[in-house]
Amino acid sequence: MDHAYGTAEDVPQILLDLMDADLRVRSKALSRLHHVVHHQNTLYTATAPAAVYVAGILSDVRTLETVEKEPHAFPGPMRAELMGWLDSVANAADDETAATMRRFGFPPEEYLPFVEICRFRPQIFHAVSAFLNDPDVDVRAAAISACIPLLDDPRLIHHRNSLAPLLRDVLAANILWQYQERAVDALERWGQDTTGLEVRREPYAPPTAR
């Protein structure tokens, strides 16, 4: 298997370090997960197995530990960060990405990392959806957001109607404009009513009404 910088022999240790008791160790592992295993939104042959592992550890109490944050990073414990990573991975294998690949002459069904992420979408959804009503608002928002690209899967698309109220009532009401925009865009694509929803991109900018 490979990742952004060659062969992926180091990925097992990266994954183990996510659960380390040392703040610096797990923070570095999270950074490498983003910048090595899924560099700049690219899927590699090591990405899907790593995603399955990450989905599998979400319920471990150690994912409630904190991690070091970069400026403008989304809030929340390691659990929210891991779901944010799964969100990004799933987003790189959604319908929009598939259409873009085809438009540029790269059939997604011939790209193994894309195929593998699609294959595991139900398993990832099962793990993430367990936190849709989590008492931690940051974990809950990350879980709802991560479900959006997963529900492009034909095996999961029937969950859209049950997720739509959470997009409207939780994600679109979040203080982060990124979540607001993601919720509104998804609801529009799913044919849901977005009347009255607003996206506030900057603290002092007027809201954009839908």
Side-chain angles (χ1 to χ4, degrees):
M1 295 182 181
D2 67 347
H3 54 43
Y5 298 101
T7 56
E9 288 95 340
D10 57 338
V11 172
Q13 190 61 53
I14 292 173
L15 297 175
L16 289 173
D17 286 348
L18 291 170
M19 309 288 275
D20 198 274
D22 190 311
L23 170 64
R24 292 170 297 180
V25 172
R26 61 177 179 270
S27 298
K28 181 179 178 181
L30 179 65
S31 177
R32 289 181 62 77
L33 196 66
H34 280 287
H35 301 299
V36 176
V37 185
H38 181 45
H39 181 65
Q40 295 183 347
N41 301 320
T42 302
L43 300 176
Y44 303 92
T45 53
T47 310
V52 172
Y53 176 89
V54 168
I57 65 173
L58 287 177
S59 61
D60 192 295
V61 67
R62 287 172 291 179
T63 63
L64 292 175
E65 296 291 342
T66 59
V67 287
E68 294 173 346
K69 300 279 187 176
E70 297 178 356
H72 310 298
F74 281 29
M78 171 69 84
R79 181 175 289 167
E81 294 285 347
L82 293 177
M83 283 194 279
W85 183 79
L86 289 171
D87 187 352
S88 181
V89 168
N91 202 58
D94 67 359
D95 286 351
E96 184 178 355
T97 302
T100 300
M101 291 176 70
R102 289 193 180 93
R103 189 164 61 249
F104 286 98
F106 299 101
E109 61 272 10
E110 296 179 8
Y111 185 47
L112 180 60
F114 186 101
V115 172
E116 287 293 280
I117 291 297
C118 290
R119 181 164 75 93
F120 289 118
R121 285 190 295 199
Q123 186 173 340
I124 296 171
F125 174 76
H126 177 74
V128 171
S129 62
F131 300 94
L132 290 176
N133 296 297
D134 196 87
D136 185 311
V137 63
D138 298 318
V139 170
R140 184 164 70 250
I144 296 169
S145 182
C147 284
I148 294 172
L150 295 169
L151 297 191
D152 280 355
D153 193 296
R155 297 164 292 181
L156 301 172
I157 198 169
H158 62 281
H159 289 288
R160 286 181 175 181
N161 285 337
S162 60
L163 190 68
L166 291 176
L167 291 184
R168 170 177 281 276
D169 299 336
V170 179
L171 210 60
N174 194 276
I175 61 171
L176 297 177
W177 69 263
Q178 294 93 332
Y179 279 147
Q180 297 169 20
E181 183 175 72
R182 189 153 175 74
V184 173
D185 286 347
L187 288 169
E188 288 180 341
R189 285 191 295 105
W190 296 354
Q192 299 283 334
D193 182 21
T194 59
T195 302
L197 297 184
E198 300 175 343
V199 179
R200 200 178 284 273
R201 288 183 171 274
E202 297 176 2
Y204 304 105
T208 301
R210 298 283 179 144

